[in-house]
């Protein structure tokens, strides 16, 4: 019995060893579900709802816009949007016409977007209007469609956005922005288009999505995922949680679609199950908890910092979380303490998943049973084989209980990196994906022991120190820098920049963050700085990051020894601030409740006006809503 077969003995009841996606395309999920549940609510965006029948209509309208714009099978279509209904429509429309979605972080700095476009060379872009200003590097031959989130709201809400109030203007600015004349309105063109009634022509092995990642080596790349890769991981995900009810679940889609975890597990799996998917453009604790009151979640997918913040805020807003029957946690380790608190609040299971973008993304998961062990990576998913090999000789599997590199093989493993055979060859060998993670099997579960790759898990995002170092090293006054991750509790790792300064220079954390934010995403900014006389280096001149971590740990330990009351004082201050914040939140919650009642009355009156208009024969078609 090999390792995979041994570990499968830990499967929860009802989970199959194998799943088969057949020739499924990702757009098939939508069309098949709509055929069975046409009137079921598919999307809920800030209380505006879309049925599966309406969603199919919008997808076919969008497909018509793409075809009329010259998009052909195999073309790359760049998507730069937060989670929103337009994003969902675009993904399925692109799949329907046989093109490839290329996902981007809408908050990424211009330099990052520019380098990503240089890799995939998309000639069609569908972008949030607030992102368009960062696309000045695009040539005149690129078609740009702008998306305004206000179009995803109800007609009544859009009317309220016309009110000449400062707060309303601010919300309107967040939803969209003014754009140059050459930018076409995606919302308007989709709404006015005649639906294209053709059939999908792509094949299961054709590329469906490209997601940007630094993989195991730290070099930015575009991972190519086929329809089969994604569909396989969807079937595996659904098989992993047998109690899920088709056509009856409510998924909360908070993780961004440009992240494989959010794209596959919340969007695609949710559509395949016929779930109602509540879409959030960003993680806003109050917004999520107020939605929980209105549309209780049954299946929650998130990362540990989300659980921590929701648990802290729920009592202040009097929100009950017990509707959440199942939770999947990923992207970073989940502590046993946080796991227990979340399960106590929800009365449901929380299980962990492990994976990477190159695996669509999940490879391992904890079983949905009492046998799960918090902190473990889990056991192989259906149709997934794993081996633990000698890092220096991957032909040899390590002995049972020994530490080695995790490699995996299965239908969810990607095709390779776009136009990068050298990097592909480093991680994909004879169908086996080399994860770069060093693991060990204990008590029938795989546990992470170390990382060959040097990424830092910060708030659920992968941050590669070399990229941060390249930016900080260019800062005036900095002679050298090493970026490392230090333990940061439920938030994952705390990113620390160890600086060697030029003679007479003085650099603060605020200085570093102000400098770096021009080139790095917010989650990639250092949280601490430490000044060292020199960085420990190997004989060939490579910075030894582990030694840097040890030096920082010693400095912190010495500080605690010399000033034992320093942290206690900080804790006391923090508690006082927390008490004041709690009182303020209670006042804010009361004010919000009163404002909500006034808004409800106003909306009710506006809705009554809409109903009267409908009785008089006014047009209120689906696309207008």
């Amino acid at each position: 019995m090999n390792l995979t077969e041994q570990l499968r003995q830990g499967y929860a009841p009802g989970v199959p060893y194998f799943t088969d996606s057949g020739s499924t395309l990702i757009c098939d999920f939508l069309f098949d579900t709509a055929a069975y549940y046409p009137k079921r609510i598919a999307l809920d965006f800030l209380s505006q709802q879309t049925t599966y029948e309406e969603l199919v209509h919008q997808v076919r309208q969008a497909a018509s816009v793409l075809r009329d714009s010259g998009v052909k099978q195999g073309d790359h279509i760049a998507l730069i949007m937060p989670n929103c209904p337009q994003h969902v429509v675009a993904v399925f429309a692109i799949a329907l016409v046989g093109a490839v979605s290329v996902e981007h972080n809408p908050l990424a700095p211009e330099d990052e977007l520019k380098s990503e476009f240089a890799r995939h060379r998309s000639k069609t872009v569908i972008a949030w209007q607030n992102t368009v200003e960062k696309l000045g590097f695009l040539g005149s031959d690129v078609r740009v469609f702008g998306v305004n989130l206000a179009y995803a709201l109800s007609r009544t809400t859009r009317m309220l956005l016309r009110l000449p109030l400062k707060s309303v203007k601010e919300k309107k600015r967040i939803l969209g922005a003014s754009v140059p004349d050459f930018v076409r309105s995606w919302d308007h063109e989709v709404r006015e288009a005649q639906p294209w009634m053709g059939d999908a022509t792509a094949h299961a092995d054709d590329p469906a999505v490209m997601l940007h990642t630094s993989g195991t080596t730290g070099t930015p790349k575009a991972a190519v995922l086929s329809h089969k890769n994604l569909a396989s991981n969807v079937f595996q995900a659904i098989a992993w949680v047998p109690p899920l009810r088709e056509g009856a679940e409510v998924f909360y889609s908070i993780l961004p679609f440009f992240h494989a975890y959010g794209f596959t597990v919340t969007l695609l799996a949710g559509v395949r199950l016929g779930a109602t998917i509540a879409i959030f453009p960003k993680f806003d604790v109050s917004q999520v908890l107020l939605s929980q009151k209105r549309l209780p979640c049954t299946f929650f997918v998130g990362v540990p910092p989300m659980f921590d913040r929701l648990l802290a805020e729920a009592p202040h807003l009097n929100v009950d979380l017990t509707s959440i029957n199942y939770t999947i946690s990923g992207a970073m380790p989940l502590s046993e303490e946080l796991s227990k608190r979340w399960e106590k609040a929800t009365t449901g299971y929380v299980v962990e998943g492990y994976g990477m973008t190159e695996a669509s993304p999940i490879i391992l998961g904890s079983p949905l049973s009492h046998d799960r062990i918090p902190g473990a990576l889990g056991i192989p998913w259906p149709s997934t084989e794993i081996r633990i090999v000698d890092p220096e000789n991957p032909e040899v599997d390590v002995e049972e209980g020994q530490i080695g590199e995790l490699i995996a093989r299965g239908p969810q493993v990607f095709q390779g990196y776009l136009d990068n055979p050298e990097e592909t060859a480093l991680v994909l060998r004879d169908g086996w994906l080399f994860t770069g993670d060093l693991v060990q099997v204990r008590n029938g579960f795989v546990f992470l022991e170390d990382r060959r790759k040097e990424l830092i898990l910060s708030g659920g995002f992968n941050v590669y120190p070399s990229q941060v170092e390249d930016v900080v090293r260019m800062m005036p006054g900095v002679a050298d820098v090493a970026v490392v991750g230090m333990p940061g509790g439920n938030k994952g790792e705390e990113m620390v920049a160890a600086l060697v300064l030029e003679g007479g220079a003085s650099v603060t954390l605020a200085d570093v963050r102000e400098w770096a934010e021009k080139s790095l995403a917010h989650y990639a900014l250092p949280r601490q700085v430490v000044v060292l006389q020199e960085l420990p280096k190997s004989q060939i001149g490579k910075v030894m990051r582990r030694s840097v971590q040890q030096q920082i740990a010693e400095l912190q330990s010495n500080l605690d020894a010399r000033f034992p009351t320093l942290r206690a004082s900080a804790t006391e201050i923090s508690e006082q601030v927390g008490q004041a914040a709690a009182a303020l939140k209670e006042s804010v919650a009361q004010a919000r409740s009163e404002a909500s009642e006034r808004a409800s009355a106003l909306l009710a009156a506006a809705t009554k006006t809409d109903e009267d208009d409908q009785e008089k024969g006014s047009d209120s078609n689906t696309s207008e809503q």
Side-chain angles (χ1 to χ4, degrees):
M1 183 182 295
N2 62 32
L3 177 60
T4 299
E5 292 170 339
Q6 292 177 29
L7 296 177
R8 282 176 179 161
Q9 304 307 307
Y11 274 22
V15 177
Y17 288 171
F18 300 95
T19 57
D20 183 11
S21 65
S23 58
T24 304
L25 306 178
I26 62 173
C27 53
D28 293 337
F29 291 145
L30 173 61
F31 296 127
D32 292 346
T33 295
Y36 283 99
Y37 307 102
K39 303 301 181 183
R40 166 85 171 156
I41 299 300
L43 308 178
D44 182 285
F45 182 70
L46 306 179
S47 80
Q48 174 65 8
Q49 298 184 331
T50 305
T51 67
Y52 274 99
E53 184 177 57
E54 292 167 341
L55 182 56
V56 166
H57 184 79
Q58 293 173 22
V59 166
R60 290 195 175 279
Q61 288 178 301
S64 181
V65 172
L66 292 173
R67 285 172 56 85
D68 290 347
S69 298
V71 172
K72 303 181 298 297
Q73 185 161 333
D75 284 356
H76 300 168
I77 313 297
L79 301 181
I80 319 175
M81 290 177 277
N83 292 5
C84 58
Q86 294 99 320
H87 200 151
V88 177
V89 168
V91 164
F92 287 112
I94 290 167
L96 177 58
V97 301
V100 184
S101 297
V102 185
E103 290 283 353
H104 296 268
N105 179 356
L107 300 181
E110 181 176 342
D111 287 349
E112 184 176 322
L113 291 172
K114 185 176 182 179
S115 64
E116 290 171 349
F117 270 79
R119 282 194 291 276
H120 61 71
R121 303 180 298 278
S122 295
K123 295 301 181 183
T124 301
V125 181
I126 306 173
W128 181 31
Q129 288 179 345
N130 296 39
T131 303
V132 169
E133 66 178 4
K134 292 187 284 188
L135 302 179
F137 58 84
L138 294 179
S140 58
D141 59 335
V142 178
R143 292 180 293 266
V144 181
F145 292 94
V147 169
N148 189 317
L149 303 189
Y151 278 90
L153 304 176
S154 69
R155 184 170 59 183
T156 299
T157 303
R158 294 204 303 273
M159 290 174 59
L160 292 175
L161 289 173
R162 299 174 183 173
L163 295 174
L165 302 176
K166 183 177 180 181
S167 59
V168 172
K169 289 180 180 179
E170 176 61 22
K171 289 190 180 299
K172 192 173 181 179
R173 184 192 64 79
I174 293 173
L175 294 170
S178 298
V179 293
D181 292 340
F182 69 84
V183 177
R184 298 160 60 178
S185 170
W186 175 255
D187 304 290
H188 177 76
E189 294 200 23
V190 170
R191 183 178 60 185
E192 299 298 322
Q194 291 298 313
W196 181 66
M197 301 310 295
D199 296 324
T201 57
H203 299 286
D205 289 326
D206 289 342
V209 174
M210 292 184 198
L211 300 175
H212 297 281
T213 176
S214 292
T216 64
T217 63
T219 304
K221 300 172 283 287
V224 181
L225 300 175
S226 69
H227 289 271
K228 183 176 182 179
N229 295 149
L230 295 162
S232 295
N233 214 223
V234 167
F235 282 108
Q236 291 165 333
I238 293 173
W240 200 248
V241 190
L244 288 173
R245 305 157 298 165
E246 186 174 296
E249 302 292 344
V250 176
F251 281 37
Y252 270 22
S253 189
I254 303 172
L255 297 174
F257 295 151
F258 64 80
H259 194 293
Y261 192 21
F263 189 91
T264 301
V265 182
T266 63
L267 175 57
L268 297 185
V271 169
R272 169 62 183 83
L273 266 177
T276 291
I277 305 172
I279 299 177
F280 299 87
K282 64 177 182 177
F283 178 54
D284 182 299
V285 178
S286 297
Q287 192 176 80
V288 172
L289 291 175
L290 290 175
S291 291
Q292 173 67 12
K293 284 187 173 184
R294 178 180 57 82
L295 183 67
C297 175
T298 63
F299 184 80
F300 192 93
V301 180
V303 295
M306 289 183 181
F307 307 146
D308 204 28
R309 293 183 61 189
L310 289 170
L311 288 173
E313 293 294 328
H316 298 299
L317 294 178
N318 193 29
V319 175
D320 181 3
L321 300 175
T322 57
S323 67
I324 303 175
N325 298 317
Y326 317 105
T327 301
I328 293 184
S329 175
M332 57 191 298
L334 174 68
S335 70
E336 183 173 1
E337 178 270 336
L338 181 55
S339 173
K340 288 180 178 179
R341 286 197 289 125
W342 183 259
E343 290 190 344
K344 181 179 179 181
T346 64
T347 69
Y349 282 125
V350 54
V351 297
E352 294 174 77
Y354 162 85
M356 52 198 300
T357 301
E358 291 85 347
S360 305
I362 302 185
I363 298 170
L364 308 173
S366 295
L368 194 74
S369 72
H370 289 293
D371 297 328
R372 72 203 184 286
I373 301 178
L377 299 183
I379 53 182
W381 269 24
S383 298
T384 305
E385 301 174 75
I386 68 166
R387 291 169 53 205
I388 301 176
V389 302
D390 184 339
E392 305 304 323
N393 184 8
E395 299 298 322
V396 177
D397 290 15
V398 300
E399 295 183 7
E400 185 173 348
Q402 297 299 306
I403 295 174
E405 181 176 358
L406 175 67
I407 66 175
R409 180 168 66 183
Q412 73 270 46
V413 172
F414 80 144
Q415 298 180 331
Y417 300 116
L418 177 66
D419 298 335
N420 200 331
E422 295 82 7
E423 289 283 346
T424 299
L426 292 176
V427 299
L428 202 56
R429 310 175 206 171
D430 297 324
W432 289 95
L433 175 63
F434 283 68
T435 68
D437 285 328
L438 301 180
V439 302
Q440 180 186 41
V441 174
R442 301 196 302 269
N443 301 319
F445 289 88
V446 178
F447 286 82
L448 179 68
E449 297 299 329
D450 205 344
R451 294 188 179 91
R452 295 189 72 190
K453 52 190 178 184
E454 296 178 317
L455 63 81
I456 298 170
L457 293 176
S458 177
F461 289 93
N462 292 348
V463 179
Y464 285 84
S466 59
Q467 292 179 305
V468 182
E469 289 165 355
D470 290 343
V471 172
V472 176
R473 192 174 287 113
M474 299 298 293
M475 182 177 176
V478 174
D480 205 354
V481 59
V483 173
V484 298
M486 301 297 291
N490 289 329
K491 294 182 179 180
E493 295 174 286
E494 194 83 5
M495 192 158 24
V496 182
L499 307 177
V500 176
L501 300 181
E502 296 175 348
S506 176
V507 175
T508 67
L509 174 62
D511 296 332
V512 171
R513 289 174 64 88
E514 182 179 359
W515 173 271
E517 69 182 357
K518 302 170 186 175
S519 304
L520 299 172
H522 183 75
Y523 61 79
L525 300 178
R527 297 295 188 268
Q528 296 182 38
V529 295
V530 173
V531 177
L532 302 178
Q533 292 299 315
E534 62 179 3
L535 297 178
K537 296 183 179 181
S538 67
Q539 291 181 342
I540 61 174
K542 183 178 180 180
V543 173
M544 296 184 291
R545 291 196 177 92
R546 183 167 295 183
S547 296
V548 174
Q549 288 175 311
Q550 291 172 349
Q551 286 192 27
I552 293 173
E554 289 173 4
L555 287 171
Q556 292 175 339
S557 178
N558 291 337
L559 184 64
D560 288 343
R562 293 180 61 187
F563 305 101
T565 62
L566 184 61
R567 291 199 181 189
S569 299
T571 300
E572 183 179 348
I573 293 172
S574 177
E575 289 176 352
Q576 292 175 0
V577 171
Q579 292 172 0
L584 178 60
K585 287 172 184 173
E586 185 174 353
S587 300
V588 171
Q590 183 176 352
R592 280 177 176 166
S593 178
E594 293 173 356
S596 177
E597 291 178 3
R598 292 194 296 270
S600 296
L602 182 58
L603 287 172
T607 303
K608 181 64 169 60
T609 301
D610 285 348
E611 292 173 353
D612 292 343
D613 289 345
Q614 291 174 10
E615 291 176 2
K616 296 176 182 178
S618 63
D619 180 18
S620 57
N621 58 43
T622 299
S623 60
E624 176 64 20
Q625 293 176 357

